Amino acid sequence: MINNIFKQITSVKHKIAYAARQVHRDSDQIQLLAVSKTKPVSAIKQAYQAGLRHFGENYVQESIEKIQQIKADADFDEPICWYFIGPLQSNKTRPVAENFDWVQSVDRFKIAQRLNDQRPNNLPALNICLQVNISEEASKSGTTLSQVIELASQVNSLAHLKLRGIMAIPKKTENIELLENQFDTLYNIYHQLQLLYPDIDTLSMGMSADLHSAIRCGSTMVRIGSDIFGSRN
């Protein structure tokens, strides 16, 4: 199993490097975020031993249990950077504010305000990506395209949050042109926000199935789960 996860990570890194070369980008500009939702600490440890330090989680209770277990495990001798990437309800913001380094799924001001108010003073500002519902599907979380600029302004005003970028999950499609049109739209919003806020440096888009298109369209972070850990439990 350890060798398998190591091989999978090596393969993913090769895919990122290849996609970057195709569009004359430096693969070091693209962060690999390992999505470890539903996976046990033992699998995270194997990815950690293979060199990964950035992990994404979707479910509050499950993730807090894993974070606490890992903090108490001497084998994790370097800190992990934890990203919350799942939908976040207002009654579950406190443990996220207290335990995560990033939240990439902020889609309304109420959530941002609660994260800000509940962020402990002894911790650095919580890094925030706004989730954009780029496909405008009713079943998906995310702010609308028309509301992104206003929400960014609101989040930027909060002292315990640091606005870092945007995140999106495109509509599933086999049509590469349609997929990349969604990514291009997201990149244009990202560029607009960069002109307004100097700390913005993160365009989180692309997963196992659409990694190449995302990198071609300017992604700075890809969220990879199944290609590292195998299919979800």
Side-chain angles (χ1 to χ4, degrees), residues 10-55:
T10 301
S11 175
V12 168
K13 287 181 175 179
H14 285 160
K15 289 177 184 177
I16 292 170
Y18 175 78
R21 282 198 307 273
Q22 297 297 96
V23 287
H24 310 290
R25 294 184 63 196
D26 184 347
S27 60
D28 290 340
Q29 298 172 345
I30 302 156
Q31 177 66 56
L32 170 57
L33 178 61
V35 178
S36 48
K37 63 181 179 183
T38 77
K39 300 302 177 184
V41 167
S42 58
I44 296 174
K45 183 179 288 191
Q46 291 157 22
Y48 179 92
Q49 291 169 342
L52 298 191
R53 296 293 181 270
H54 297 259
F55 292 86

Side-chain angles (χ1 to χ4, degrees), residues 45-221:
K45 183 179 288 191
Q46 291 157 22
Y48 179 92
Q49 291 169 342
L52 298 191
R53 296 293 181 270
H54 297 259
F55 292 86
E57 290 284 338
N58 286 59
Y59 309 115
V60 176
Q61 184 174 345
E62 174 202 329
S63 62
I64 299 304
E65 290 172 0
K66 288 194 280 192
I67 289 170
Q68 297 304 329
Q69 187 177 338
I70 285 169
K71 281 181 178 178
D73 189 330
D75 287 342
F76 292 88
D77 53 356
E78 293 179 14
I80 283 177
C81 190
W82 291 104
Y83 297 70
F84 191 81
I85 58 175
L88 185 56
Q89 299 171 338
S90 59
N91 64 344
K92 294 185 178 180
T93 52
R94 183 176 295 278
V96 172
E98 293 174 346
N99 289 277
F100 280 83
D101 304 287
W102 287 70
V103 178
Q104 293 202 349
S105 50
V106 171
D107 60 359
R108 56 198 187 279
F109 184 60
K110 179 182 179 181
I111 296 295
Q113 196 159 38
R114 288 180 66 86
L115 290 168
N116 178 76
D117 295 346
Q118 294 165 345
R119 184 69 168 173
N121 290 326
N122 64 316
L123 294 180
L126 183 61
N127 297 293
I128 298 294
C129 284
L130 308 180
Q131 182 171 354
V132 182
N133 187 349
I134 192 69
S135 60
E136 300 182 333
E137 294 173 88
S139 61
K140 281 186 179 166
S141 301
T143 188
T144 64
L145 293 170
S146 61
Q147 294 173 326
V148 176
I149 299 298
E150 180 183 359
L151 182 58
S153 176
Q154 293 172 327
V155 170
N156 192 61
S157 71
L158 298 173
H160 298 292
L161 304 184
K162 185 175 183 179
L163 182 61
R164 294 293 296 273
I166 54 177
M167 181 271 269
I169 302 168
K171 183 176 183 178
K172 286 186 178 180
T173 176
E174 299 296 322
N175 186 324
I176 297 298
E177 184 178 359
L178 178 60
L179 175 67
E180 294 189 355
N181 282 343
Q182 294 177 77
F183 285 151
D184 285 339
T185 299
L186 199 68
Y187 181 83
N188 289 336
I189 300 166
Y190 170 67
H191 184 62
Q192 288 178 48
L193 290 172
Q194 279 188 308
L195 297 176
L196 296 170
Y197 307 107
D199 287 330
I200 287 196
D201 58 4
T202 302
L203 178 54
S204 176
M205 65 182 192
M207 297 183 285
S208 295
D210 53 22
L211 177 154
H212 287 87
S213 288
I215 290 173
R216 186 155 55 239
C217 295
S219 173
T220 70
M221 180 178 290

